[in-house]
Amino acid sequence: MRLRVTLAAVLVAAAFSLPAIARDPARGAEIAAERCAACHGIDGRSSLAEIPRLAGQQSGFITLQMILFREGIRQVPAMQSPTEKLSDTDIEAVAAHYAGLPSAAPEDRTPRDAALMARGQAISAARNCGVCHLPNYAGRAQMPRLTHQHEGFLAHTMAEYRDGQRIGIDTQMNGAVQGLSNADIAALAHYLAHQD
């Protein structure tokens, strides 16, 4: 497993060393319309709570995740077919396309709950979420944008990290959410989902 993760990291590094011309958002839009839009939305703003919103997402994060899916390191059955046989150049193009789209909060976002916001903010501060994801939670490089994401998706993802059901190229997130209760995760997801 460690060898596969190392291979993915090498592939990501190689993809980021491609000339800028390889990161063609117009080509990425064509691929996304064919392979991604049905679930993630034509504008990258999925309306389904369990499907992540990709508009404005960090291109490095999208690139990494798509390589993990393509190489079979991250197991999400719904992502096997869309990433199958995509070249590194195609993946870079899709990432550039989504990174260039404007991000916006979901229209069906739950109303703010003051108690959950306060608890979520305290957990975020204690767990240093703003260090990797930045203080405005817009993400950077291979750390994803958390703002404008579905609350349910954020909670589900954090629970997967906590329970060892999801990995990245390192165990940073697994450690960051270790020991959080379901109520803690719900509060943190609520807080993050309401950042603009």
Side-chain angles (χ1 to χ4, degrees), residues 15 27-28 44 47 93 100 103 105 108 114 121 123 147 161 168 192:
R27 172 73 180 129
S47 60
S103 181
D108 62 347
Q121 183 176 27
I123 294 167
T147 57
Y161 277 121
L192 294 171

Side-chain angles (χ1 to χ4, degrees), residues 92-131:
E92 282 279 314
V94 170
H97 163 65
Y98 281 120
L101 294 177
S103 181
E107 295 75 21
D108 62 347
R109 188 162 58 172
T110 60
R112 283 179 189 249
D113 178 294
L116 285 176
M117 291 293 289
R119 183 174 179 181
Q121 183 176 27
I123 294 167
S124 176
R127 298 293 171 129
N128 296 312
C129 299
V131 171

Side-chain angles (χ1 to χ4, degrees), residues 37-53 106-108 150:
C39 296
H40 293 284
I42 196 73
D43 58 359
R45 298 180 191 174
S46 164
S47 60
L48 304 170
E50 66 276 10
I51 305 292
R53 295 166 67 88
E107 295 75 21
D108 62 347
H150 293 292

Side-chain angles (χ1 to χ4, degrees), residues 138-162:
R140 60 186 167 93
Q142 295 173 20
M143 275 68 75
R145 167 187 284 278
L146 303 178
T147 57
H148 301 157
Q149 201 56 263
H150 293 292
E151 188 173 329
F153 176 76
L154 291 169
H156 175 76
T157 299
M158 287 186 282
E160 282 188 328
Y161 277 121
R162 179 197 63 195

